[in-house]
């Protein structure tokens, strides 16, 4: 018996979900079909790809981890060949899985999905929201085909393309003495409480920028929510350093906050599209990447 593409698809989805049941739900097939296909694949190859734990799901063996990368590459190549046969101008169909960094999601994702629905109505986009580590894990495990995230500690196994660059700014309470200034040096705020956007990797970047003011920042409050940080600042509980810029100064509770440019030389934050280096981008991946670039351009020019 030859290895089939169906067996490879079932194996890759089971590896992504670490569950036969989870894979069957995603694939819309019976759980028994997934189990049987993977068992046949293991018998044909002559090695075990999963350790089956009754209460904890699946664990990839070392052989399974190696085979997963090859299986993903094979399936991507088949999809690419089919896309070429159909023609790049034809509306795309099928599923693509996009991982997106939490704070980028509300700014870019709705517009991206709207564009894809208009241009490729038969293309199904599954979205995973996470931090950088989660986006990387989704790519490596096969749960995502593409990730929209920041260029923060990405492993060598990923290829990335910069799609945007953001300079940090100061978020200040509206009544702050420096709220109306054009630019402010970080040293002017070194004695004031700091509200930290507390996300992995991001927190280190924010703190390193705040330290340019000449002392260790006094972190009064921290939150993993972008909007919570903005609301805390609007209430006068401290200042913050952020990158994403809403089109208005309102917070969820109706408060306001001032934004001021940083006078110091500060590192900019790059937004990237990332995928496994071992996989060639398919037409679906390229379509999503194009929609992301168009949306970023629309936001920057105020045409969104």
């Amino acid at each position: 018996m030859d290895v089939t593409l169906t067996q490879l698809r079932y194996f890759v989805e089971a590896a992504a979900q670490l569950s036969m049941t989870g894979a069957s739900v995603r694939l819309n097939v019976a759980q028994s079909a997934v189990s049987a296909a993977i068992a046949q694949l293991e018998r044909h190859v002559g090695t075990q790809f999963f350790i089956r734990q009754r209460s904890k799901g699946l664990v990839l063996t070392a052989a399974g981890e190696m085979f997963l990368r090859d299986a993903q590459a094979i399936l991507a190549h088949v999809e690419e060949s089919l896309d070429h046969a159909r023609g790049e101008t034809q509306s795309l169909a099928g599923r693509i899985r996009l991982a997106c960094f939490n704070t980028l999601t509300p700014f870019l994702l709705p517009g991206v999905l709207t564009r894809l629905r208009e241009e490729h109505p038969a293309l199904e986009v599954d979205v995973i929201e996470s931090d950088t580590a989660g986006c990387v894990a989704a790519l490596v495990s096969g749960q995502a085909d593409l990730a929209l995230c920041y260029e923060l500690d990405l492993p060598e196994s990923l290829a990335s393309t910069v799609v945007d660059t953001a300079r940090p700014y100061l978020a200040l309470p509206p009544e702050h003495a420096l709220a109306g200034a054009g630019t402010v040096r970080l040293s002017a705020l070194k004695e004031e409480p700091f509200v930290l956007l507390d996300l992995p990797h991001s927190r280190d970047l924010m703190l390193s920028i705040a330290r340019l003011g000449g002392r260790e920042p006094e972190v009064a409050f921290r939150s993993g929510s972008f909007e919570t940080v903005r609301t805390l600042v609007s209430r006068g509980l401290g200042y913050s350093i952020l990158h994403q810029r809403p089109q208005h100064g309102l917070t969820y509770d109706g408060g306001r906050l001032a934004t001021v440019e940083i006078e110091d030389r500060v590192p900019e934050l790059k937004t990237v599209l990332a995928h496994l280096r071992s996989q060639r981008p398919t037409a679906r991946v390229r379509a999503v990447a194009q929609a992301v670039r168009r949306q970023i351009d629309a936001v920057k020019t105020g045409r969104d």
Side-chain angles (χ1 to χ4, degrees), residues 192-251:
E192 301 194 17
F194 184 58
V195 182
L196 175 65
L197 179 60
D198 194 8
L199 292 170
H201 304 293
S202 294
R203 73 171 69 94
D204 297 329
L205 176 61
M206 302 305 186
L207 289 172
S208 69
I209 295 173
R211 291 187 187 106
L212 296 176
R215 62 172 292 179
E216 187 68 22
E218 177 193 340
V219 179
F221 299 96
R222 60 180 72 216
S223 173
S225 165
F226 178 81
E227 280 300 329
T228 298
V229 169
R230 295 181 73 248
T231 302
L232 290 171
V233 171
S234 75
R235 292 279 186 166
L237 298 175
Y239 78 98
S240 190
I241 298 172
L242 300 171
H243 287 86
Q244 296 302 316
R245 298 175 183 253
Q247 295 185 4
H248 57 77
L250 292 175
T251 60

Side-chain angles (χ1 to χ4, degrees), residues 151 154 158-162 272-275 277:
E151 192 181 49
L154 298 181
L158 300 186
S160 62
T161 303
V162 177
V272 300
L273 284 167
H275 62 87
R277 196 177 296 275

